[in-house]
Amino acid sequence: MAIDRKTVEKISSLAKIKLNDTEADEITNELSNILEWIDQLNKVDTKNTPPMTGVIKSNLYQRDDLITEDKKLDEILINSPETTEGFFVVPRVVD
Amino acid sequence: MSLIKGLTISQARKGLLEKKFSAKELVESFVIEIKNSKKLNSYISFNFDSAIEKAKESDEKIAKGNARPLEGIPIAIKDLFCTKGIRTTAASNMLNNFIPPYESTVTQKLLNSGSIFLGKTNLDEFAMGSSNETSFFGPSINPWKPSNEKLDYVPGGSSGGSAVAVSANLCLGAVGTDTGGSIRQPASFCGIVGLKPTYGRCSRWGIVAFASSLDQAGPMTRNVEDAALLLYNMVGYDPKDSTSVNKEVPNFKDSIRRNIKNLKFGIPREYNLDESSPDVKNLWEKGINWIKQGGGEIVDISLPHTKYALPSYYIIAPAEASSNLSRYDGVRYGHRVEGGSLEELYQNTRGDGFGNEVKRRILIGTYVLSAGYYDAYYIKAQKIRSLIYNDFENVFKDVDVIFTPTTPNSAFPINAKIDDPISMYMNDLLTVPANMAGLPAISIPSGKDNKGLPLGFQFIGKPFDESGLLNIASYFEEVCEFEDDKEEWWKQ
Amino acid sequence: MTSKANNNLNWEIIIGLEVHAQVVSNSKLFSGMSTTYGGEPNTQVSYIDAAFPGMLPVINKFCIEQAVRTGLGLKAKINMESVFDRKNYFYADLPAGYQISQFENPIVGKGQVILDMPDGTIREIGITRLHLEQDAGKSIHDSNSANSYVDLNRAGIALMEIVSEPDMRSSEEAGLFLKKLRTILRYLGTCDGNMEQGSMRADVNVSVRRYGEELGTRCEIKNVNSIRFVQQAIEYESKRQIKEIELGNKIVQETRLFDPKNFETRPMRSKEESHDYRYFPDPDLLPLKLSQTWIDQISKSLPELPDDRKQRFCSEYGLSIYDSGLLVDDKETADFFEEVVLKRDPKLVANIVLGDFYGFLNKLGQNINNSRVSSKSLGELIDLISNKIISGRISKEVLEIMFQTGQSPKEIVEEKGLKQISNIDEIEKIVDTILDENIEKVNEFKNGKEKLFGFFVGQVMKKTEGKANPQLVNEILTKKLNKN
């Protein structure tokens, strides 16, 4: 399915990826091509087929309710571009 | 150079234990070699000082008779594995300065086995690519190229740097990851062995995630025996990864018997593609004859949904990736481009931090998961995944292994396909189905095409039958007599 | 004003609640980090909680158990297979860019909560579902700064989102529902219900319609953190909607916030982007399959729940529904009552616990666990009353001293000489004195002014500093006043 520039703008906003005009046009084009190619899947009859999320069939492993991690403030903050007094810093957020 | 050229892990181990050379000498030889081979751009980060220190420790252990299974073996790590204290970039501007405070499970196991990390190898950005050209650090370059060729050739991807490092004697072995062929395809392009284990064999903990339901780590080596050795020291159940499988780990090396007598080889007719080069088809034919010579049985099989594997992969992998890569937001680690609001900070950071292919896939993934398209794309792809899985399950009632070429073509020149995403995606046509079904698969160098570039055979096995694959691969390794005759044109 | 009130009679308010209840557990839902409240910023954050590259979630078995336990307590259907999904959106306090939650296949399905209305009737409020999800971190906004500050200590703590049917029709019902739900969660030990610490929060869905009409457009008031605020928000929001409709305007479906300073709701400023959360099954986790055996085990371990306990208090102790209800509302009070009531008069115990005892607790700002009066010593006090060692009136004085000093009631009675006077001769003497001193009033009484009886009782009590056995005083006074 071909997609339009408006859709690309919507999804780039959902994905929080800034695209300039040229990029947005290019991507619209590329995505349209890719999606058209993907559309061959419509030829497959999947009416009675269940979707498959993953191949592992075992039960979900459940850990015991133990505290196995200790404080690691320095390690948590060390790679951050901006911190202060133990907090990560971001531009002011309004509710 | 004479020390390490063509050296395998098992030979190196023998040499170390017999004190023919020390681990320090071994590491230092590789350091020199790597420094002389910068043209190949196979490493993103070096770990030389630490490697030499580790080598000294290994020498002490060997002297005391306490050598661990991979004691003093210098290897290379795809820069997608988080390594404690060593920069881990995923070949992205986004993680250009990220130094993990933790060690991935697989690399921890490799450290515990005594191996030594020479550095972190190049890859496609966030493992998204089939040519290594999407790396923020520039492409790694295939040491193979046609003679008298001016152009550089791609090593394949995404584990291109690892494949190059192994192929060009810049390490004894390497680890890669394989989401849609990212170990096997570059192994094939670079004339080495690459194995993608069964999904769940290797822990994914600490590996930068691309597509969680498909990603699997695996070894890339010079020969099959080395693949078995390396694999054995990577795998194992990990309660930190809920998709890791608690399964007994056989000693893979012991399964190598170079004997395929009475084994049933499925030849899937759907893998005979129009797109495949005549050389690939001819070699495949040759392989079928080798099966007969070895006493194996040929079974014509059909995997009817094969052609849908790739397009459904390009829904599932981007969908998961779009979510997995949401954490790169410039707040807790990684690249950040300031903005007047949080929204702008996100948009700027992610717009600048990700390269084109990554953006493309995030956007596809976002689209196929978004309201109104979820059923038509994502659920549809998951249903087709079921069909692909069932295809394999049915076939494995009748055969022991499936035999195919690894790729439709040999390596291509850099920039040849970069502007055409779909033709680039076609590289993974033959490798993706094994990922969709979670099956183990191995690629071994099987011959060369008319340009003198390596080609690979792929064997796809039953779940958790890596042993069977390694045995079969070892037989073919012997009969193919793949000759590493490339010139070392890249040396400075 | 009157016309407005009249109008309101024509309007039906429809309320549904989504309650986020923090699960009581040692460690977080998907990491082994502690859940303790109130740590220094980012000190209770693991690499998983902060969504570092390559980190993977591993589920906490006890949190699953807590969700199942809650489901059983809400008489709900437990789903043998449920799925964890990713809810994708970007926010400063959501490190992974997605929240692990449950969308199409929650762990618990339909259930119910029963409300006892003040008029003695019963209301059943349906529970739509309960699912497990991760809590987010906290952003702190400093109005003097261009920045917000992110603390991820809370990120990853297990939450149960409990969704009610739109079955409530007034702020009062919503309040009762939240109180009842909180009581049930506390009985089960699955959530501490501390709204002021944020361990229980509610999203309130409000719409209005004229009786008999179709459902109106609803607004969601997010993250209200006290029962009172929930009620105030509903009051304001329903009035606002009625006013809008009466003015001929349409209600816009939107997310609003409650401002507790001005008792009003306002639209959220940050528009939550078109709500396209792109839910899909988390590929890092497998479907959660439960075994019936395990569910049965949990079911057997359930405590007696408030509704059952209330019934038992009525039948076993002969208490009124009202008193039973008050006692069981708070599990600790009910437990305390049952400790005291052993071999004692249930009605007397209930009166003292709900009366004087609670009176002092509230006055002193203490709670049942940290007060100086244990169930044992309160029992001793009640024994003193039952054995007529002290009068009920004196008991209050003794209790007050018990709260102040922690002394045993016997000690206090001994020390202060508060023992009841039960010696007939002694009381007769005092009665005689009182009657002699008030000869005029005696005559008035004999001439028919019978309400003076109380006056005489009071005088005797005054003289004995309240220590005279009231029953004996009554008997003796009756006898003497009716002589001749």
Side-chain angles (χ1 to χ4, degrees):
Chain A
M1 198 171 80
I3 61 172
D4 53 19
R5 172 77 193 253
K6 220 180 112 202
T7 310
V8 167
E9 280 164 12
K10 197 195 126 206
I11 56 175
S12 72
S13 146
L14 274 175
K16 305 279 181 254
I17 292 178
K18 188 176 182 174
L19 300 174
N20 62 34
D21 263 11
T22 336
E23 284 174 323
D25 282 337
E26 273 171 24
I27 289 252
T28 306
N29 216 354
E30 287 164 358
L31 256 55
S32 288
N33 288 338
I34 293 167
L35 289 167
E36 269 166 35
W37 169 69
I38 283 174
D39 279 343
Q40 61 179 293
L41 296 180
N42 293 330
K43 286 186 225 154
V44 189
D45 178 7
T46 52
K47 239 182 290 162
N48 300 314
T49 312
M52 183 181 208
T53 302
V55 297
I56 304 288
K57 300 218 165 108
S58 43
N59 276 343
L60 179 61
Y61 169 72
Q62 302 169 18
R63 52 168 242 278
D64 290 330
D65 182 26
L66 301 172
I67 297 168
T68 52
E69 301 264 4
D70 34 76
K71 169 178 162 181
K72 37 177 74 73
L73 179 66
D74 294 343
E75 294 92 329
I76 289 289
L77 298 182
I78 195 163
N79 278 289
S80 175
E82 194 181 350
T83 63
T84 184
E85 293 171 48
F87 291 97
F88 297 107
V89 182
V90 296
R92 195 172 149 72
V93 179
V94 287
D95 284 327
Chain B
M1 184 58 207
S2 56
L3 173 62
I4 56 174
K5 184 164 184 192
L7 190 70
T8 65
I9 293 175
S10 45
Q11 287 164 354
R13 177 161 175 86
K14 198 156 172 269
L16 285 167
L17 294 183
E18 289 171 1
K19 318 251 168 41
K20 294 214 169 99
F21 45 81
S22 69
K24 185 165 168 281
E25 284 168 328
L26 195 57
V27 167
E28 282 167 347
S29 306
F30 278 110
V31 170
I32 291 166
E33 222 27 45
I34 293 167
K35 285 180 176 166
N36 288 336
S37 306
K38 284 195 175 155
K39 211 176 214 169
L40 297 179
N41 199 23
S42 58
Y43 284 85
I44 291 174
S45 304
F46 304 119
N47 188 40
F48 297 154
D49 292 348
S50 158
I52 287 167
E53 284 311 304
K54 288 262 181 192
K56 289 182 195 159
E57 288 169 28
S58 284
D59 285 329
E60 279 170 33
K61 282 219 158 67
I62 291 167
K64 285 182 190 153
N66 296 332
R68 294 166 289 176
L70 294 177
E71 195 67 65
I73 301 295
I75 60 172
I77 309 294
K78 186 180 187 179
D79 203 15
L80 199 64
F81 291 79
C82 289
T83 42
K84 190 172 179 172
I86 307 175
R87 181 172 75 137
T88 298
T89 69
S92 179
N93 188 19
M94 194 58 102
L95 288 176
N96 196 359
N97 295 312
F98 177 62
I99 299 174
Y102 47 88
E103 187 76 42
S104 83
T105 299
V106 164
T107 48
Q108 186 62 56
K109 280 175 184 281
L110 287 165
L111 288 173
N112 295 346
S113 72
S115 65
I116 293 170
F117 300 167
L118 292 165
K120 306 292 292 290
T121 52
N122 207 345
L123 66 149
D124 283 291
E125 184 180 2
F126 282 102
M128 296 179 193
S130 309
S131 66
N132 219 301
E133 291 165 283
T134 71
S135 168
F136 174 70
F137 301 95
S140 179
I141 288 164
N142 198 330
W144 290 85
K145 62 160 120 183
S147 40
N148 304 320
E149 170 71 270
K150 290 212 179 69
L151 297 174
D152 286 332
Y153 274 58
V154 301
S158 65
S159 310
S162 290
V164 172
V166 172
S167 177
N169 294 301
L170 308 180
C171 62
L172 281 178
V175 292
T177 61
D178 190 318
T179 306
S182 283
I183 287 176
R184 290 159 288 158
Q185 185 252 17
S188 174
F189 278 14
C190 293
I192 63 164
V193 174
L195 190 157
K196 178 197 96 71
T198 313
Y199 184 83
R201 256 295 187 213
C202 285
S203 169
R204 294 185 297 111
W205 194 89
I207 304 174
V208 175
F210 163 14
S212 313
S213 78
L214 301 158
D215 296 345
Q216 221 356 244
M220 303 175 80
T221 54
R222 218 154 279 151
N223 68 14
V224 175
E225 186 187 5
D226 283 3
L229 281 172
L230 212 49
L231 178 67
Y232 185 74
N233 290 290
M234 295 169 69
V235 299
Y237 174 63
D238 181 7
K240 290 192 287 186
D241 173 2
S242 301
T243 61
S244 155
V245 175
N246 199 348
K247 199 97 178 172
E248 196 196 337
V249 176
N251 193 338
F252 298 115
K253 197 178 153 224
D254 295 345
S255 61
I256 294 178
R257 297 181 305 274
R258 304 182 198 281
N259 181 351
I260 61 161
K261 202 164 264 170
N262 299 325
L263 289 178
K264 290 180 180 167
F265 287 75
I267 314 296
R269 64 181 77 110
E270 290 82 5
Y271 281 61
N272 194 356
L273 305 170
D274 297 341
E275 293 90 335
S276 293
S277 77
D279 292 337
V280 166
K281 291 186 183 188
N282 290 338
L283 194 61
W284 194 15
E285 276 305 317
K286 221 165 148 186
I288 291 171
N289 281 326
W290 279 324
I291 293 172
K292 291 175 187 157
Q293 282 171 28
E297 195 185 319
I298 304 292
V299 184
D300 278 319
I301 57 165
S302 171
L303 296 163
H305 298 95
T306 299
K307 66 184 278 205
Y308 301 112
L310 196 63
S312 50
Y313 170 86
Y314 273 96
I315 293 173
I316 290 169
E320 293 181 13
S322 71
S323 177
N324 282 336
L325 271 61
S326 291
R327 65 190 58 202
Y328 305 106
D329 60 7
V331 177
R332 283 146 292 116
Y333 45 77
H335 188 64
R336 166 156 167 160
V337 180
E338 296 295 342
S341 65
L342 183 62
E343 173 73 19
E344 272 179 45
L345 171 88
Y346 287 154
Q347 295 259 4
N348 293 346
T349 297
R350 293 166 61 79
D352 191 62
F354 292 133
N356 284 338
E357 181 61 21
V358 172
K359 286 185 203 172
R360 196 147 47 216
R361 297 207 197 183
I362 291 175
L363 293 172
I364 295 174
T366 305
Y367 180 73
V368 299
L369 288 175
S370 67
Y373 302 101
Y374 181 79
D375 287 340
Y377 287 105
Y378 183 71
I379 293 292
K380 182 81 182 178
Q382 284 201 320
K383 288 179 168 186
I384 289 167
R385 190 172 185 184
S386 288
L387 294 172
I388 293 162
Y389 185 89
N390 295 343
D391 282 356
F392 279 110
E393 212 170 34
N394 287 334
V395 158
F396 276 122
K397 287 174 193 154
D398 301 323
V399 303
D400 297 300
V401 67
I402 294 165
F403 172 44
T404 79
T406 308
T407 58
N409 290 286
S410 61
F412 46 89
I414 282 179
N415 291 330
K417 297 186 179 180
I418 195 74
D419 293 327
D420 182 358
I422 295 175
S423 90
M424 186 69 92
Y425 297 169
M426 291 298 172
N427 276 293
D428 298 329
L429 214 50
L430 306 178
T431 47
V432 153
N435 297 82
M436 295 291 272
L439 299 170
I442 191 169
S443 175
I444 60 156
S446 56
K448 297 182 195 104
D449 68 359
N450 61 359
K451 289 177 276 187
L453 294 173
L455 295 172
F457 281 162
Q458 173 178 240
F459 301 94
I460 304 171
K462 293 177 181 175
F464 299 100
D465 190 22
E466 287 84 1
S467 298
L469 284 184
L470 286 160
N471 172 46
I472 289 162
S474 69
Y475 165 79
F476 280 90
E477 182 175 52
E478 208 167 63
V479 294
C480 290
E481 295 180 312
F482 178 81
E483 194 195 347
D484 186 352
D485 56 357
K486 63 181 179 288
E487 289 164 34
E488 297 184 313
W489 53 267
W490 63 86
K491 293 241 175 134
Q492 280 156 340
Chain C
M1 206 54 211
T2 28
S3 83
K4 204 174 181 183
N6 280 340
N7 279 345
N8 283 357
L9 288 177
N10 302 326
W11 289 92
E12 187 178 24
I13 306 169
I14 318 282
I15 303 152
L17 294 170
E18 288 166 29
V19 178
H20 296 262
Q22 233 176 49
V23 175
V24 172
S25 64
N26 296 320
S27 61
K28 294 184 177 182
L29 181 55
F30 293 112
S31 84
M33 185 51 86
S34 163
T35 58
T36 318
Y37 176 78
E40 293 288 304
N42 291 312
T43 54
Q44 282 163 210
V45 182
S46 72
Y47 302 128
I48 297 173
D49 308 323
F52 270 57
M55 292 300 99
L56 299 170
V58 183
I59 200 160
N60 182 336
K61 182 172 189 172
F62 185 65
C63 294
I64 300 171
E65 187 180 327
Q66 292 285 60
V68 170
R69 182 171 289 129
T70 307
L72 293 170
L74 298 172
K75 314 261 184 275
K77 179 173 181 286
I78 308 298
N79 291 325
M80 302 306 284
E81 185 166 336
S82 64
V83 174
F84 288 95
D85 297 289
R86 292 186 182 177
K87 179 182 184 179
N88 294 283
Y89 65 96
F90 285 84
Y91 202 65
D93 54 21
L94 186 72
Y98 59 83
Q99 176 194 36
I100 305 179
S101 180
Q102 297 190 294
F103 185 48
E104 279 182 2
N105 300 288
I107 185 165
V108 175
K110 283 192 184 304
Q112 62 172 22
V113 169
I114 292 167
L115 307 186
D116 294 300
M117 303 305 291
D119 62 3
T121 59
I122 272 175
R123 289 270 289 132
E124 273 177 27
I125 307 298
I127 297 293
T128 314
R129 58 182 279 166
L130 175 156
H131 70 250
L132 274 171
E133 62 184 27
Q134 302 171 293
D135 206 346
K138 237 166 51 182
S139 307
I140 292 158
H141 317 297
D142 174 358
S143 49
N144 298 321
S145 150
N147 294 324
S148 288
Y149 303 93
V150 182
D151 170 16
L152 298 177
N153 281 350
R154 215 176 61 186
I157 292 182
L159 288 182
M160 296 179 285
E161 181 173 323
I162 303 166
V163 182
S164 86
E165 295 286 328
D167 284 351
M168 285 155 278
R169 293 293 177 270
S170 66
S171 60
E172 185 192 23
E173 281 183 12
L176 286 171
F177 172 81
L178 284 171
K179 278 183 199 150
K180 186 60 177 283
L181 181 63
R182 188 172 62 179
T183 301
I184 294 171
L185 297 177
R186 283 176 170 166
Y187 265 70
L188 294 165
T190 55
C191 171
D192 67 23
N194 282 333
M195 293 187 90
E196 61 283 4
Q197 288 182 0
S199 45
M200 204 172 129
R201 320 187 284 274
D203 296 343
V204 189
N205 285 296
V206 179
S207 68
V208 299
R209 64 174 168 191
R210 290 194 176 85
Y211 280 98
E213 284 184 354
E214 305 233 320
L215 283 178
T217 306
R218 66 189 164 90
C219 291
E220 183 182 18
I221 309 153
K222 277 254 177 229
N223 245 332
V224 192
N225 61 4
S226 90
I227 294 177
R228 195 160 45 92
F229 292 164
V230 166
Q231 293 182 307
Q232 287 166 348
I234 293 169
E235 291 295 331
Y236 176 87
E237 180 61 19
S238 56
K239 280 183 191 137
R240 182 189 73 86
Q241 292 185 13
I242 292 169
K243 200 165 133 198
E244 289 289 330
I245 297 172
E246 286 182 337
L247 288 169
N249 298 329
K250 281 224 162 78
I251 301 298
V252 190
Q253 181 162 359
E254 63 185 355
T255 307
R256 300 176 70 87
L257 289 175
F258 179 67
D259 173 359
K261 276 181 210 134
N262 302 310
F263 307 111
E264 61 184 32
T265 66
R266 59 165 173 83
M268 262 177 101
R269 264 176 291 174
S270 58
K271 291 224 174 69
E272 272 183 282
E273 203 163 10
S274 63
H275 291 285
D276 196 342
Y277 290 129
R278 288 157 286 136
Y279 282 100
F280 75 107
D282 191 330
D284 288 332
L285 295 163
L286 309 173
L288 175 63
K289 292 172 192 156
L290 306 178
S291 80
Q292 193 56 51
T293 331
W294 191 56
I295 295 172
D296 291 344
Q297 268 173 31
I298 299 171
S299 186
K300 274 183 206 133
S301 76
L302 284 194
E304 185 183 29
L305 289 166
D307 289 334
D308 300 331
R309 198 171 201 183
K310 191 179 71 184
Q311 287 307 320
R312 183 167 63 79
F313 276 21
C314 291
S315 56
E316 189 177 329
Y317 300 124
L319 300 179
S320 69
I321 292 190
Y322 182 77
D323 281 353
S324 303
L326 286 179
L327 285 170
V328 304
D329 260 357
D330 177 42
K331 184 171 182 288
E332 266 100 45
T333 308
D335 290 345
F336 187 85
F337 169 79
E338 295 217 87
E339 283 164 30
V340 180
V341 84
L342 280 171
K343 295 183 186 161
R344 299 192 174 102
D345 173 10
K347 282 183 190 160
L348 179 60
V349 175
N351 282 343
I352 301 261
V353 169
L354 292 171
D356 293 343
F357 178 71
Y358 253 83
F360 283 123
L361 275 186
N362 290 339
K363 194 169 140 196
L364 300 169
Q366 295 178 352
N367 67 49
I368 213 155
N369 293 321
N370 67 13
S371 93
R372 294 177 116 162
V373 180
S374 66
S375 57
K376 185 167 166 274
S377 60
L378 190 71
E380 286 169 15
L381 179 71
I382 287 165
D383 289 342
L384 292 178
I385 303 169
S386 301
N387 298 335
K388 309 212 159 69
I389 312 264
I390 58 169
S391 68
R393 215 167 120 184
I394 290 292
S395 76
K396 187 170 180 180
E397 198 182 327
V398 177
L399 188 57
E400 184 164 22
I401 299 168
M402 288 163 69
F403 269 106
Q404 284 159 359
T405 65
Q407 276 177 291
S408 87
K410 271 184 201 151
E411 265 174 47
I412 297 167
V413 169
E414 290 291 332
E415 219 171 80
K416 308 252 167 189
L418 295 173
K419 261 194 190 161
Q420 183 163 260
I421 303 166
S422 295
N423 183 314
I424 296 179
D425 293 346
E426 202 175 328
I427 293 177
E428 278 194 339
K429 248 187 230 162
I430 294 163
V431 169
D432 287 343
T433 322
I434 296 293
L435 295 184
D436 286 350
E437 283 170 2
N438 294 285
I439 209 85
E440 268 175 43
K441 293 231 162 71
V442 174
N443 287 331
E444 280 176 46
F445 178 86
K446 286 185 174 171
N447 289 332
K449 205 170 176 186
E450 285 185 6
K451 63 178 178 191
L452 277 172
F453 190 82
F455 165 79
F456 296 119
V457 174
Q459 290 301 306
V460 176
M461 285 303 177
K462 200 171 159 193
K463 195 133 221 166
T464 59
E465 293 171 301
K467 287 182 287 185
N469 181 327
Q471 217 179 318
L472 286 178
V473 173
N474 278 347
E475 280 170 24
I476 292 166
L477 268 173
T478 311
K479 197 175 72 187
K480 300 224 170 198
L481 283 169
N482 292 330
K483 229 165 34 184
N484 304 333

